[in-house]
Amino acid sequence: MYDFYECFKIMILKDKITIVTGASSGIGRACAVALANAGAIVVAASRRISEGEETIKLVKEAGGDGLFVQTDVSKEADVQRLVKKTVAHYGRLDFACNNAGIAQFPALLKDQTEAIFDEVMNINVKGVWLCMKHQIPHMIENGKGAIVNVSSIAGLIGCPEIPIYVASKHAVVGLTKSLAVEYASQRIRINAVCPGVIETDLIARGREENPQFVEQLSKMHPMGRIGTTEEVANAVVWLFSDQSSFVTGHTLTIDGGYVAQ
Ligand SMILES: NC(=O)c1ccc[n+]([C@@H]2O[C@H](COP(=O)([O-])OP(=O)(O)OC[C@H]3O[C@@H](n4cnc5c(N)ncnc54)[C@H](O)[C@@H]3O)[C@@H](O)[C@H]2O)c1
């Protein structure tokens, strides 16, 4: 059938080799599909094999191409293997969306454990640092590149009962700004997105258990709703594209006005 919108599908990232971590669900999966729609070749990385393979199926259904590499971003050997495999398979690395992350279950400070601290920091901070450590040398070799790290509004403001998550997302902003400054002259742009509350499986489950919970979250955003994974993915695509060619070290909120309050 004649697809009106297909005619206007602009391949602004045509054949760009792009790693997406945490691509097996939520924002990461939406980024993988949006990148494929924009013409990129997607290397999806996450710990869960069947969900990661499912993301590649969706990438292919969107007319794109890519492969899945099982990766735990908190382990240097895994990250090294992910980047090596990408370059071995496709010859170079253009872009990376370092999205893998975990939340912290809200709790009083006295109930927060060292194990929780280490787990959140290892995945959310060390994971992003390890990814950039192994991605950037290949971008330098390639003469340019772009990275988008997924932080959060919790990377810009404080939130009660989740201080470890908040600290981890502030750290993502710090890593982003520091390395953006360090590598700007080598034509590598590094930015972060800071989503507000986004509709994911977790939120969908929360809605089933307590519809008022999502209503409350929605009211906290001036636009009166929570965001969609596609809205985050659209911003990620823009940050990789030449449309944002003078943007680096930036933290882009996608939050319906949350942190503007
Ligand atoms: N959903 C929101 O409201 C929201 C808001 C702001 C920021 N974020 C951030 O967005 C990112 C994606 O979260 P989401 O909401 O899509 O949740 P999600 O749980 O659906 O996605 C997280 C992804 O990261 C992967 N992952 C977790 N630990 C990993 C590890 N050690 N190695 C490799 N992959 C790992 C998971 O398998 C999953 O694919 C996270 O960094 C999260 O902090 C989410």
Side-chain angles (χ1 to χ4, degrees):
M1 199 180 120
Y2 178 74
D3 187 333
F4 181 78
Y5 290 102
E6 197 65 23
C7 297
F8 295 99
K9 195 163 155 183
I10 307 169
M11 307 291 262
I12 52 176
L13 305 180
K14 189 161 171 40
D15 295 335
K16 296 292 186 189
I17 315 303
T18 309
I19 288 174
V20 181
T21 70
S24 61
S25 62
I27 292 170
R29 177 175 280 173
C31 287
V33 173
L35 287 160
N37 270 320
I41 291 164
V42 178
V43 179
S46 69
R47 291 183 298 191
R48 292 175 294 171
I49 299 175
S50 60
E51 288 88 343
E53 300 283 11
E54 175 65 22
T55 295
I56 292 302
K57 197 171 148 236
L58 295 172
V59 160
K60 291 186 174 163
E61 279 169 18
D65 196 11
L67 61 93
F68 170 70
V69 183
Q70 190 185 23
T71 310
D72 180 340
V73 295
S74 68
K75 296 196 163 62
E76 182 155 26
D78 274 29
V79 174
Q80 217 164 1
R81 196 171 62 90
L82 163 69
V83 176
K84 270 193 179 164
K85 217 168 168 178
T86 303
V87 175
H89 201 88
Y90 293 112
R92 60 174 204 282
L93 175 64
D94 296 304
F95 304 142
C97 177
N98 298 319
N99 158 79
I102 56 166
Q104 177 193 357
F105 194 76
L108 297 176
L109 187 57
K110 68 177 177 58
D111 298 323
Q112 295 167 15
T113 63
E114 190 178 357
I116 292 171
F117 185 93
D118 288 345
E119 191 189 11
V120 172
M121 287 295 175
N122 277 339
I123 296 173
N124 293 8
V125 184
K126 190 170 90 172
V128 170
W129 171 74
L130 280 174
C131 284
M132 289 199 285
K133 179 183 166 191
H134 291 284
Q135 292 157 353
I136 287 173
H138 291 284
M139 294 179 182
I140 292 174
E141 210 175 287
N142 201 23
K144 61 180 174 175
I147 292 174
V148 179
N149 296 319
V150 179
S151 176
S152 165
I153 51 172
L156 302 171
I157 56 171
C159 310
E161 297 191 5
I162 51 166
I164 306 167
Y165 180 74
V166 168
S168 75
K169 291 300 182 179
H170 274 71
V172 170
V173 170
L175 289 169
T176 301
K177 288 181 177 176
S178 298
L179 294 175
V181 172
E182 192 170 332
Y183 290 102
S185 64
Q186 296 186 68
R187 301 180 68 211
I188 296 165
R189 296 188 300 110
I190 307 175
N191 293 290
V193 288
C194 297
V197 179
I198 301 299
E199 179 85 52
T200 55
D201 292 350
L202 190 74
I203 299 288
R205 280 199 299 276
R207 180 183 280 111
E208 273 168 31
E209 282 164 29
N210 176 10
Q212 277 167 1
F213 161 70
V214 179
E215 223 171 274
Q216 280 162 6
L217 287 175
S218 298
K219 279 189 190 146
M220 289 161 71
H221 297 69
M223 285 178 75
R225 65 173 178 89
I226 59 173
T228 67
T229 55
E230 289 77 16
E231 286 172 317
V232 180
N234 288 340
V236 170
V237 168
W238 179 74
L239 283 169
F240 283 136
S241 78
D242 286 343
Q243 303 298 312
S244 63
S245 52
F246 202 46
V247 181
T248 197
H250 183 56
T251 48
L252 178 59
T253 54
I254 305 152
D255 67 348
Y258 191 109
V259 299
Q261 296 172 98

